[in-house]
Amino acid sequence: MTDAPAKLRIDKWLWHARFFKTRTLAAKIVSGGHVRINGQKISKPSHSVAIGDVLTFPQAKRIRVARIEALGTRRGPASEAQALYFDMTEPEKKTPTGVSFEGKGRPTKRDRRNLDLMKSRPLEE
């Protein structure tokens, strides 16, 4: 009797899919002109999306690309939200921040002692 709607507001769908914490934040991103649906910029949060549409939008410090697989009826758990879309964003290459091998990074206590000894010795003439 109550079938899922064929279309849904873009701000509501972004909120259901858990891309943004609040619906107001999703609407702010859309109204700022930062969201594209199938390659076309939109600026109204009331714009409707359907299954098969491809969304491109900024999230944090990345550009996300997602294809809509289903329209949600509620903002459920993360597992339910991940079933609403197919993530087409290329995975980021993670680089290690604290490299402490092969003589790089912070010296050990023993290395610091040796450095101090080398600095305090007079130069050989």
Side-chain angles (χ1 to χ4, degrees):
M1 294 205 185
T2 58
D3 294 327
K7 292 191 173 194
L8 189 65
R9 289 174 56 114
I10 181 70
D11 62 338
K12 202 169 187 179
W13 188 87
L14 287 169
W15 179 63
H16 282 186
R18 291 185 168 264
F19 283 112
F20 297 101
K21 194 171 185 175
T22 64
R23 188 170 162 192
T24 306
L25 184 59
K28 186 186 240 184
I29 295 294
V30 174
S31 62
H34 302 293
V35 178
R36 292 178 182 252
I37 297 178
N38 297 327
Q40 295 182 347
K41 276 189 178 183
I42 59 165
S43 60
K44 292 187 177 182
S46 62
H47 194 279
S48 297
V49 293
I51 295 173
D53 288 344
V54 177
L55 305 177
T56 307
F57 57 93
Q59 184 185 27
K61 294 183 179 181
R62 324 176 32 183
I63 301 294
R64 300 291 300 260
V65 180
R67 184 177 64 227
I68 298 175
E69 296 290 322
L71 301 174
T73 56
R74 68 184 186 119
R75 186 170 200 251
S79 59
E80 187 177 308
Q82 289 171 351
L84 298 179
Y85 63 92
F86 174 72
D87 194 8
M88 298 166 54
T89 307
E90 293 183 17
E92 267 186 32
K93 294 180 182 177
K94 294 187 179 183
T95 57
T97 55
V99 181
S100 63
F101 55 90
E102 297 178 8
K104 298 177 183 175
R106 185 175 176 168
T108 63
K109 188 172 184 177
R110 184 177 182 183
D111 293 337
R112 285 195 309 272
R113 283 189 196 135
N114 289 335
L115 286 171
D116 289 341
L117 287 174
M118 288 174 55
K119 288 180 183 177
S120 65
R121 289 185 190 163
L123 295 174
E124 294 180 19
E125 295 179 24

